[in-house]
Amino acid sequence: MDPVELADLTDLVIRDADVVDGTGAPSYRADVAIKDGRIVSIVKEAAAAGCQRPRARRELDAEGLVLSPGFIDMHAHSDLALLRDPEHSAKAAQGVTLEVIGQDGLSYAPVDDRSLEEVRRAITGWNGYGDDIDFDWRSVGEYLDRLDHGFGGEGIAVNAAYLIPQGTVRALAVGWEDREATPEELDRMRHLVAEGMEQGAVGMSSGLTYTPGMYAKDAELTELCRVVAAHGGYYCPHHRSYGAGALEAYEEMVALTREADCPLHLAHATMNFGPNKGRAPELLTLLDDALAAGADITLDTYPYTPGCTTLVALLPSWASEGGPEQILKRLTDEATAERIRHHLEVTGSDGCHGVPVEWETIEISGVTAPALAEYVGHTVQASADRRGESPWTVAHRLLTDDRLGTTILQHVGHEENVRTIMRHRVHTGGSDGILQGTKPHPRAYGTFPQYLGRYVRDLGVLSLEECVAHLTGRPAARLRLPDRGTVREGHRADLVLFDPATVAPGSTFEQPRALPTGIPYVLIDGRFVIEDGRRTDVLAGRAVRRTPA
């Protein structure tokens, strides 16, 4: 071939794909050409029309496959996994090309030496303690730079956007005490949030059932949300209750962000526990009324009924004041431990969303101490029955001997609520995937094929075009990413090819780390991350920074 002709070729042509473009529009058949990491041409019905088809150095026959934008995981806990695991197949194999991390108000920037150590201890159950990580950053910008230059400067497995974690900000400026911030501390928190936004964060998260973020009153949160809004970001709260008082907690977040004139994205927007069975329509009515009044609201959910968190998160907030070491001290004091038990089992701890804990719904999914491995895969109640002990005795042992590192599954969801919420027009997909533990929640490895296989193909809850829009175009719009989330000329070639007849999660509650089927190709920046169903050695992921307002 003539060198001039060779120079005119694109890098890749995906031929005869069924394109589902991320807008919700009907699918169409097309050739899609890629060059220098971007989509350079889309020729619809190319073969039938007999027109000039794009040529490339490589051609991929996509007959029988759907081509869609890469999936965007709007709620991920890969903050350290992205620096720990260059393959990161948990997400790459699902077709995820972008994760939003810094969730639930707790992550690793901005910090100083003191608060970094405290945060590492507090969320060991989410990400591990991080002995294998060089924490050589302190600011948001430095953390994003570290992602850009992961693994010897090559990059990371998938792209990542960052939310400033409000609890981490409070830990740095105020500490772990249950009190109002002073005017000077509030000014410092405003400055930290503004600085993080200027350095590239896309918004701010909160964990309002986790310490120390839960100690912030609405007035404090409103002031921080004003800063986020001024920089073009959004607020993503894990709000104050998903159980008793869930609707009131949603109302609180809607009112707060309306006051701050800040866009709102509701994290893992579920209606769980016994009091909320069948009440998803009430939540959607609340949101529809706010949307009609001009509110800017989106939400994410995972397509499973159980939740996942840490065992220590169930404790009442007063027991968590002061941070991890103070929690352990309280647990070793017999009278205080009994008071904690009473709040958990009788009163209804705010850490357990105001609902008395049902130990038969609490399954141990991971421990950090090898001596406690026998508890993994069993509920607290089952382990107690087997040992002839009370459930609290088992839970107390896990909390103290595992030094708060135990992760759990909470079997408290309702299928009808899951289906109702995922149909809503502002819904997006988020895995909330915790990758730690021997037996993690299968959503970490299976959320996106679960949507496409179970809820689209098998149950027909969503059409394929609508579901793909929920997982791609809609989240990209929330993140204000003008060149991602849809298959369009000029957009980045972050793409997924999947077989709609076979796509399915491999992960189950018994084998939670099994990879999905029916997703043979995933591209990031026009480079194959998954090829012929296998992970390549490509590290095309980078930090995706906020688009300036």
Side-chain angles (χ1 to χ4, degrees):
M1 182 177 291
D2 185 280
V4 175
E5 292 181 20
L6 185 64
D8 290 337
L9 292 179
T10 57
D11 299 325
L12 171 69
V13 170
I14 301 171
R15 294 218 184 276
D16 296 321
D18 293 321
V19 178
V20 178
D21 68 4
T23 67
S27 64
Y28 58 87
R29 190 176 176 90
D31 290 351
V32 177
I34 297 164
K35 186 172 185 177
D36 297 330
R38 292 189 179 269
I39 299 168
V40 293
S41 72
I42 300 171
V43 181
K44 296 183 179 181
E45 297 292 342
C51 63
Q52 179 65 43
R53 305 181 73 172
R55 296 186 303 159
R57 293 177 177 84
R58 177 177 177 182
E59 298 185 3
L60 177 63
D61 181 3
E63 182 72 35
L65 298 178
V66 168
L67 175 67
S68 83
F71 305 134
I72 297 176
D73 188 341
M74 287 295 285
H75 192 104
H77 288 283
S78 304
D79 307 50
L80 297 186
L82 285 164
L83 296 173
R84 174 182 289 134
D85 178 12
E87 289 196 3
H88 197 43
S89 293
K91 296 302 177 67
Q94 291 187 63
V96 171
T97 57
L98 171 61
E99 299 184 273
V100 184
I101 56 177
Q103 298 285 352
D104 293 332
L106 288 167
S107 188
Y108 305 95
V111 292
D112 59 15
D113 292 350
R114 171 193 59 81
S115 66
L116 173 60
E117 174 60 24
E118 293 166 344
V119 167
R120 288 174 65 181
R121 288 288 308 280
I123 54 175
T124 294
W126 294 358
N127 300 305
Y129 179 66
D131 287 331
D132 53 341
I133 302 293
D134 179 8
F135 289 89
D136 58 354
W137 67 84
R138 293 296 180 267
S139 70
V140 170
E142 289 169 346
Y143 175 64
L144 297 180
D145 287 344
R146 176 67 184 280
L147 293 175
D148 276 340
H149 301 99
F151 301 104
E154 289 190 64
I156 49 178
V158 304
N159 295 311
Y162 190 69
L163 294 167
I164 302 165
Q166 170 258 331
T168 298
V169 168
R170 199 172 211 272
L172 179 55
V174 181
W176 296 74
E177 294 76 34
D178 184 1
R179 63 173 177 83
E180 291 189 24
T182 66
E184 293 77 16
E185 289 167 340
L186 182 56
D187 280 345
R188 188 180 183 201
M189 285 191 283
R190 287 194 195 98
H191 171 76
L192 289 167
V193 171
E195 183 177 64
M197 293 297 298
E198 289 162 3
Q199 292 171 353
V202 295
M204 180 179 75
S205 74
S206 283
L208 300 180
T209 65
Y210 302 127
T211 57
M214 66 177 356
Y215 300 138
K217 301 294 190 291
D218 283 2
E220 178 181 314
L221 296 171
T222 301
E223 287 303 306
L224 299 183
C225 282
R226 293 187 199 279
V227 177
V228 172
H231 288 81
Y234 68 92
Y235 180 43
C236 179
H238 164 128
H239 52 268
R240 298 191 194 274
S241 176
Y242 290 83
L247 283 175
E248 292 80 3
Y250 282 113
E251 289 172 351
E252 176 190 10
M253 294 298 101
V254 171
L256 186 156
T257 49
R258 294 302 302 278
E259 174 67 21
D261 195 23
C262 182
L264 172 64
H265 181 85
L266 295 165
H268 38 57
T270 56
M271 293 288 286
N272 286 341
F273 300 92
N276 291 315
K277 184 176 176 62
R279 298 188 69 189
E282 297 176 57
L283 168 61
L284 300 187
T285 296
L286 165 66
L287 298 183
D288 284 337
D289 289 346
L291 289 162
D296 182 354
I297 302 174
T298 50
L299 58 86
D300 66 68
T301 71
Y302 47 83
Y304 298 86
T305 52
C308 180
T309 186
T310 55
L311 184 60
V312 67
L314 305 184
L315 302 188
S317 56
W318 61 262
S320 298
E321 184 179 1
E325 287 302 323
Q326 292 303 312
I327 297 171
L328 289 167
K329 285 182 180 179
R330 293 184 181 102
L331 287 167
T332 58
D333 179 79
E334 185 175 345
T336 306
E338 171 57 24
R339 186 180 168 209
I340 292 171
R341 183 205 65 79
H342 184 82
H343 274 255
L344 275 170
E345 296 184 344
V346 180
T347 306
S349 160
D350 51 1
C352 197
H353 306 276
V355 178
V357 68
E358 296 174 329
W359 292 116
E360 67 273 17
T361 70
I362 306 301
E363 178 184 350
I364 305 305
S365 60
V367 294
T368 59
L372 300 172
E374 66 179 276
Y375 294 96
V376 174
H378 304 285
T379 67
V380 172
Q381 184 68 58
S383 290
D385 292 344
R386 187 174 69 250
R387 300 173 68 93
E389 298 174 334
S390 72
W392 171 242
T393 298
V394 170
H396 184 273
R397 180 182 302 118
L398 286 162
L399 288 163
T400 54
D401 291 4
D402 208 24
R403 296 191 63 81
L404 314 181
T406 302
T407 52
I408 61 170
L409 304 182
Q410 283 185 281
H411 295 272
V412 293
H414 307 287
E415 178 67 20
E416 66 271 32
N417 286 348
V418 170
R419 297 188 193 188
T420 298
I421 294 170
M422 75 169 61
R423 292 187 182 102
H424 198 270
R425 67 187 186 279
V426 301
H427 170 266
T428 67
S431 71
D432 195 13
I434 293 175
L435 301 170
Q436 287 295 114
T438 305
K439 197 168 180 278
H441 196 303
R443 68 193 184 192
Y445 285 73
T447 285
F448 295 88
Q450 176 86 333
Y451 270 118
L452 297 168
R454 175 171 169 76
Y455 288 97
V456 171
R457 181 186 62 239
D458 298 343
L459 298 176
V461 175
L462 296 168
S463 71
L464 180 59
E465 290 86 353
E466 184 182 10
C467 183
V468 168
H470 287 220
L471 306 181
T472 61
R474 188 172 298 159
R478 166 51 78 213
L479 295 167
R480 297 180 60 229
L481 302 176
D483 60 353
R484 300 176 194 262
T486 56
V487 178
R488 186 173 300 171
E489 290 180 359
H491 279 209
R492 291 183 179 272
D494 292 354
L495 301 167
V496 181
L497 281 155
F498 63 90
D499 183 346
T502 63
V503 63
S507 60
T508 64
F509 288 99
E510 291 71 34
Q511 294 183 308
R513 287 194 170 89
L515 298 180
T517 58
I519 306 178
Y521 300 99
V522 180
L523 297 93
I524 296 178
D525 206 30
R527 302 165 67 192
F528 284 97
V529 175
I530 300 292
E531 187 171 10
D532 295 323
R534 295 181 177 86
R535 180 70 172 93
T536 70
D537 61 0
V538 168
L539 293 170
R542 299 292 185 272
V544 175
R545 291 165 170 81
R546 176 188 58 86
T547 302

